[in-house]
Amino acid sequence: MARRKRGSAERPPHPDATDARSGTATADRLRPWLVAGVCALFVARPLIASESAAAEGDGLPIVMLWLVLAVVWLLGVLGRPDFRVRFGWIDAAVLGLFGLNVLAAVVGAVRGSPRPAVNMLWEWIGLGLGYFLARQFLAAAREIRAAAAVMIALATGLAGMGLYQYFVELPATRAAYARDPDATLRDADLEYLADPQQRRAFEDRLNSPEPMATFALTNSLAGFLAPWLVLTAGIGVLWMRQEVRVRAGLILAAVLVAGCLILTMSRSAYLATALGFALVGIWAGRRLWHHARLLAAAGLVLLALVGVAVATRGVDASVFSQAAKSLGYRLHYWQATTRLIADHPWLGVGPGNFQAEYTRYKLPQAVEEVAEPHNFLLEIGATAGMPAALVLLLALGAYAWRLLRAPRPSGDSTEPPSPAYRPGASTWALVGGACGFPLAMVLGLLASVSSAILGLSIALSLAVIILILLRRWVDDGWLAPRLLGVAVVVLLVNLLAAGGIGFPGVSGTLWLLMALGLNAAECGTGSETSDTSDVWRLTRRSALGLFAVGFLLLVACYATAYNPVLECRAWLRAAKRDPQARASCWQRAARADQLDARPWGLLAGDAFARWQAQGDQAAQALFHDYTEAALARSPNESAAWFIAGERYMAIYRATNLPEHLERSLAAYRQAVERYPHNMEYQAALALALRLGGDEVGFREHAKEAFRLEEVSGRGGHPRLNELRKELPRNVSRKM
């Protein structure tokens, strides 16, 4: 394996150009398909309607396709004596980050809940493959612009979907729910009918006016839209030679994306976007005067969008008046997360296991058991350890340095065609991006929640329009590396307060922007191909080794995640369709996925219900076995331990057998250990201790329950009212 030295007089050939000495052109014939595949997968992932990558494994089909794409590429180069790849020390830092996350996921699968950890292990591998394949195939200047156009089109499509949700879909759903709540929930295939807490959560989400498009949270949609809005505006300001058609495409994209972004009411996205606009303005300098009328028109359009949002109550004063309150919540999350990191500094708690571990450190005044700490650095530190966070900072710093050192061409420059560039490559990128929409429709059928076909159709239509309008810019335009860097800054500023670097639908933008930025910096200003020292020549043996690794990873992903997760989900859905056979379906689901706790939890609940209805001793024994199996697969889930404690307590009250009281006490203790600031858990343990004759323990935990009630400011809990009945008058105030 040899590497070209920096400063060598000989210009390296394009890493994917046909080399007469290499022997075969198979890889060159595959390259357009690979370019299309990379763009399609980057488009498809945000369109899959879920952020349940850890719990549900909704992103595993995309991960499998990334692995297939990598294996196909390596298979195509096996016939060459050597082949070239882009890989520099910035890439090495990024690889180190992905590697540490994978290692942390392995450790988290052993120490915590295995299924979420294994799912996230593969998600991080998928993100890494996306980054490195983008580095290889989106390398020529026109390909970089094509990928940027594809993502701008995707952002426009998602914004259109969000606007459709806001003005049409959500009002219709709210009206249908008001007429017949149960029918609406059944039609949505939601199991909230018997759980008042989840039902309230669904109603709160339904009554929330903010659009979400295909994301589970409106903040995630805003985080995705913000960098592409700034990139769109930057292209309009910095590239002078804009035809009417290109300008129309940029304006349409900016208006739709800005309109949807305003409706999200995401303060962090607002701040990040404003910073991005400021950076573009500082960089543009005097060029802004060339666009004075256009900027004035843009300002008027922005004011009009804000006016419409205010008039339709899409934005209100609470966006700003509650900013301090929202920041206070985040300070609670960050303080608890720093304590978690202090206890797990090296490898964290593992991707996918944050929420279960967070409750151990959650402050009593905090209002949520958050899935991530709303800060990307703390999230990496908590889930993969501080070394991973430091490696991420190193990679980002080196990336910024590389882009700042990139040449600064004039805004009206264009790249001359290069003999090594194949004119059809950008077309393949655009077609691949458009194909990402139907691909998402198909893969969405495998997800836990399917996107509305009408919404995706609207998104596809808008995306195709944008791609057609921007085609001339893709062919003859200009995209500065620093503008891609500004987009990265926008996304990171948003992630500092909103979090989500572990959500592939959001973080995929980060890794794509970094890959495109590095490739653009290497392209320079006067050529279509990369002129860089970060090109390695690998031997056929190296290619064979990489192919073997890729193939083994593909098989491993299928065996450990893709097949068991999808088969388990299929049986869980079958149980919903046929309630009479649900126990059998749950058993099949448990056998299909040995790592998932959910089928065992459902079986435990079913056995407990049968015991309650019939007093069946066999059902009681099954309940115990199923509960043990579920807890073994979710050992740090405080709610699972508490539910087990409640059920064992019910059995004890019915049978008066001490063994059930002991099991109840043990489960309550585990719940309190994992969530010490939950006043309901403390009160339940106190009452159980009194039944067991432990008066000292009873008073200790009763005192803590009342203290938490006072600190949290959330009084009137039924379990604490029950606890008060066990105490003499006014004793609770003195405890």
Side-chain angles (χ1 to χ4, degrees), residues 24 150 192 293 329 424:
T24 180
V150 162
Y192 296 160
R293 285 182 294 182
Y329 291 155

Side-chain angles (χ1 to χ4, degrees), residues 449-488:
V449 179
S450 298
S451 294
I453 297 299
L454 179 57
L456 287 175
S457 301
I458 292 172
L460 174 59
S461 302
L462 289 171
V464 170
I465 292 172
I466 296 299
L467 290 176
I468 293 172
L469 294 175
L470 296 185
R471 178 57 194 265
R472 182 59 185 271
W473 172 75
V474 171
D475 288 339
D476 301 318
W478 169 74
L479 178 59
R482 294 188 187 185
L483 187 55
L484 293 164
V486 169
V488 170

Side-chain angles (χ1 to χ4, degrees), residues 96-127:
L97 172 66
F98 291 134
L100 287 171
N101 272 279
V102 169
L103 178 60
V106 172
V107 175
V110 175
R111 297 179 178 175
S113 300
R115 174 46 63 203
V118 170
N119 287 348
M120 288 307 299
L121 179 153
W122 291 111
E123 287 287 359
W124 276 101
I125 289 176
L127 289 170

Side-chain angles (χ1 to χ4, degrees), residues 328-369:
Y329 291 155
R330 279 160 173 74
L331 291 175
H332 295 159
Y333 309 152
W334 298 342
Q335 184 178 346
T337 303
T338 55
R339 292 169 53 202
L340 184 154
I341 293 173
D343 285 349
H344 305 84
W346 297 110
L347 287 174
V349 298
N353 279 320
F354 176 84
Q355 189 170 36
E357 293 283 357
Y358 171 79
T359 56
R360 194 186 301 266
Y361 304 91
K362 176 179 171 290
L363 302 183
Q365 62 269 36
V367 296
E368 291 183 86
E369 296 88 20

Side-chain angles (χ1 to χ4, degrees), residues 676-725:
H677 289 156
N678 187 303
M679 57 185 173
E680 181 183 7
Y681 294 3
Q682 293 281 357
L685 177 57
L687 292 169
L689 287 168
R690 166 159 278 193
L691 282 177
D694 185 352
E695 194 67 22
V696 174
F698 162 72
R699 289 184 172 273
E700 176 186 348
H701 289 281
K703 179 179 179 180
E704 179 64 8
F706 291 126
R707 184 189 74 83
L708 293 172
E709 181 184 39
E710 183 177 356
V711 171
S712 67
R714 297 187 293 272
H717 194 282
R719 188 58 60 91
L720 269 75
N721 293 334
E722 182 182 351
L723 185 60
R724 286 188 178 91
K725 295 177 182 178

Side-chain angles (χ1 to χ4, degrees), residues 7 12 14 57 70 155 203 235 257 288 315 334 367 429-430 434 437 447 516 519 569 571 596 660 688 714:
H14 188 278
E203 291 172 348
I235 293 169
V257 174
L288 289 175
V315 174
W334 298 342
V367 296
L430 298 176
F437 286 85
L516 295 180
N519 288 345
R569 183 182 300 159
W571 284 116
D596 198 336
H660 298 304
R714 297 187 293 272

Side-chain angles (χ1 to χ4, degrees), residues 557-612:
C557 181
Y558 180 85
T560 64
Y562 180 81
N563 182 62
V565 167
L566 265 63
E567 188 176 351
C568 176
R569 183 182 300 159
W571 284 116
L572 292 178
R573 288 178 174 175
K576 293 180 181 180
R577 293 192 299 268
D578 187 3
Q580 299 298 323
R582 62 184 182 181
S584 175
C585 291
W586 290 336
Q587 289 171 353
R588 290 174 179 265
R591 287 196 296 270
D593 189 353
Q594 296 292 325
L595 302 181
D596 198 336
R598 291 176 301 168
W600 298 104
L602 292 169
L603 287 167
D606 182 67
F608 178 74
R610 283 193 285 117
W611 170 82
Q612 282 186 311

